[in-house]
């Protein structure tokens, strides 16, 4: 295995470990009565929107920040790797939540 492959595997493990850590913490923080979609469903009722639309709205701030980091990288501005990791993990968690929300409702 090349050094590049080893580094990539290490990066994948780092992100997956952080996802596992944070998804449990976030679930405890945001779910109500065992419902991981509580905030999106409640937000949907309050705004008369579909819970998935609310979820995507919550994710949007992370998407914008991620794109800003990518733009910084592409224009040779300094990139905070911890901030990049945080945004990457947050976005993946939102995608997993969206997958679960859709799967539970089809």
């Amino acid at each position: 295995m090349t050094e590049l492959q080893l580094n990539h595997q290490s990066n994948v493990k780092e992100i997956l470990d952080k996802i596992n850590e944070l998804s449990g913490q976030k679930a405890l923080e945001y779910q109500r009565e065992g419902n991981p979609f509580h905030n999106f469903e409640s937000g949907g009722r309050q705004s008369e929107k579909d819970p998935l639309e609310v979820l995507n709205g919550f994710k949007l701030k992370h998407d914008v920040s991620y794109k800003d980091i990518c733009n910084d990288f592409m224009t040779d501005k300094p990139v905070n790797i911890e901030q990049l990791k945080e945004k990457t993990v947050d976005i993946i968690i939102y995608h997993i939540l969206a997958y679960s929300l859709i799967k539970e409702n089809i």
Side-chain angles (χ1 to χ4, degrees):
M1 199 175 276
T2 68
E3 184 176 347
L4 183 60
Q5 289 170 315
L6 290 171
N7 288 342
H8 177 69
Q9 280 188 337
S10 176
N11 290 333
V12 170
K13 183 181 181 327
E14 178 183 357
I15 293 297
L16 291 175
D17 288 347
K18 193 67 176 176
I19 289 168
N20 285 327
E21 174 191 332
L22 277 184
S23 63
Q25 288 175 0
K26 298 286 184 183
L28 291 174
E29 186 177 342
Y30 293 113
Q31 72 180 0
R32 299 280 179 167
E33 299 173 4
N35 180 358
F37 313 120
H38 167 77
N39 282 356
F40 313 121
E41 291 170 351
S42 180
R45 285 189 298 275
Q46 292 178 35
S47 64
E48 299 181 356
K49 293 182 179 181
D50 187 275
L52 185 58
E53 188 175 355
V54 173
L55 183 152
N56 285 324
F58 285 17
K59 184 176 76 68
L60 182 60
K61 73 174 187 160
H62 301 288
D63 291 333
V64 169
S65 181
Y66 174 82
K67 287 178 183 176
D68 287 345
I69 293 167
C70 289
N71 286 333
D72 287 346
F73 175 76
M74 291 184 288
T75 57
D76 294 323
K77 293 180 184 166
V79 171
N80 180 323
I81 197 67
E82 286 302 314
Q83 186 181 33
L84 175 60
K85 179 169 74 173
E86 176 186 333
K87 295 305 162 194
T88 300
V89 167
D90 288 342
I91 290 166
I92 292 169
I93 289 173
Y94 273 105
H95 279 274
I96 293 168
L97 282 165
Y99 172 82
S100 294
L101 179 65
I102 292 167
K103 189 174 178 183
E104 288 297 318
N105 289 284
I106 57 173

